[in-house]
Amino acid sequence: MNTQFEVLKKSRELVLKLIDGLTIEQLHTIPQGFNNHIAWNVAHLVVTQQLLHYKLSGLQCLVPDDLIDGYRKGTKPSEAFTEEDFEEIKELLLGLPDTLKEDYEAGIFKEYTEYETSTGFIISSFENALTFNNLHEGMHLGIIMAMKKLV
């Protein structure tokens, strides 16, 4: 499991490195052919990880409900982040993997509600969720890479 936690942490570091130096306007630009922007993708990573690990384990998510409502699967950008708000999103992106690992090591993930992803993969445990989430994060890292070239 340590490797899965390391992959999660590393992918998020790569996202932050990739977007470093972009303006708030660039972060909110929706490139032609896309439905969302880089800032949405970053917030979506935070939200999806929380839902896959905490919510489906019957636990309270560690991010506000309005963030979840605005950036979960099936949403589109509706409001722009201020620079201050986006800094908080970046802090969550980088810090929550450590909290997740600590919570896992503390044994708080005792149950899991099976969930079928939009790709048809069935997640049946916390461990499966961690592996699937890493795949999901890699997909969005690629999307952010493509978007960066267009903004």
Side-chain angles (χ1 to χ4, degrees), residues 5 22 28 31 39 44 47 52 83 150:
F5 287 110
L22 294 178
H28 288 94
H44 175 71
V47 165
L52 288 176
E83 288 189 35
L150 301 172

Side-chain angles (χ1 to χ4, degrees), residues 12 45-46 78 93 145:
R12 290 187 170 196
L45 292 177
V46 170
S78 59
L93 185 77
M145 292 170 78

Side-chain angles (χ1 to χ4, degrees), residues 11 19 21 30 42 45 48 58-60 69 84 98 102 104 108 114-115 145-146 150:
S11 71
I19 66 173
I30 300 176
V42 173
L45 292 177
T48 299
L59 301 169
Q60 184 71 36
D69 293 341
E84 295 78 22
D98 292 332
E102 290 167 9
Y104 177 75
I108 72 165
E114 190 172 276
Y115 174 74
M145 292 170 78
L150 301 172

Side-chain angles (χ1 to χ4, degrees), residues 5-33:
F5 287 110
E6 290 172 21
V7 168
L8 175 59
K9 185 80 171 172
K10 187 60 163 176
S11 71
R12 290 187 170 196
E13 289 169 357
L14 289 170
V15 167
L16 291 177
K17 184 177 179 183
L18 186 65
I19 66 173
D20 187 47
L22 294 178
T23 66
I24 199 74
E25 291 79 19
Q26 288 173 308
L27 292 167
H28 288 94
T29 299
I30 300 176
Q32 186 173 358

Side-chain angles (χ1 to χ4, degrees), residues 19-86:
I19 66 173
D20 187 47
L22 294 178
T23 66
I24 199 74
E25 291 79 19
Q26 288 173 308
L27 292 167
H28 288 94
T29 299
I30 300 176
Q32 186 173 358
F34 290 87
N35 296 333
N36 49 49
H37 47 60
I38 292 171
W40 182 92
N41 275 270
V42 173
H44 175 71
L45 292 177
V46 170
V47 165
T48 299
Q49 180 269 311
Q50 289 290 296
L51 294 173
L52 288 176
H53 297 114
Y54 289 88
K55 177 92 170 164
L56 290 172
S57 293
L59 301 169
Q60 184 71 36
C61 291
L62 306 179
V63 300
D65 288 341
D66 62 332
L67 188 66
I68 291 170
D69 293 341
Y71 298 92
R72 68 185 320 143
K73 179 177 72 173
T75 64
K76 293 183 181 180
S78 59
E79 296 180 15
F81 289 109
T82 64
E83 288 189 35
E84 295 78 22
D85 288 343
F86 195 68

Side-chain angles (χ1 to χ4, degrees), residues 121-134:
F121 184 78
I122 297 176
I123 302 172
S124 58
S125 68
F126 174 89
E127 292 78 11
N128 291 154
L130 187 56
T131 302
F132 179 82
N133 187 67
N134 284 343

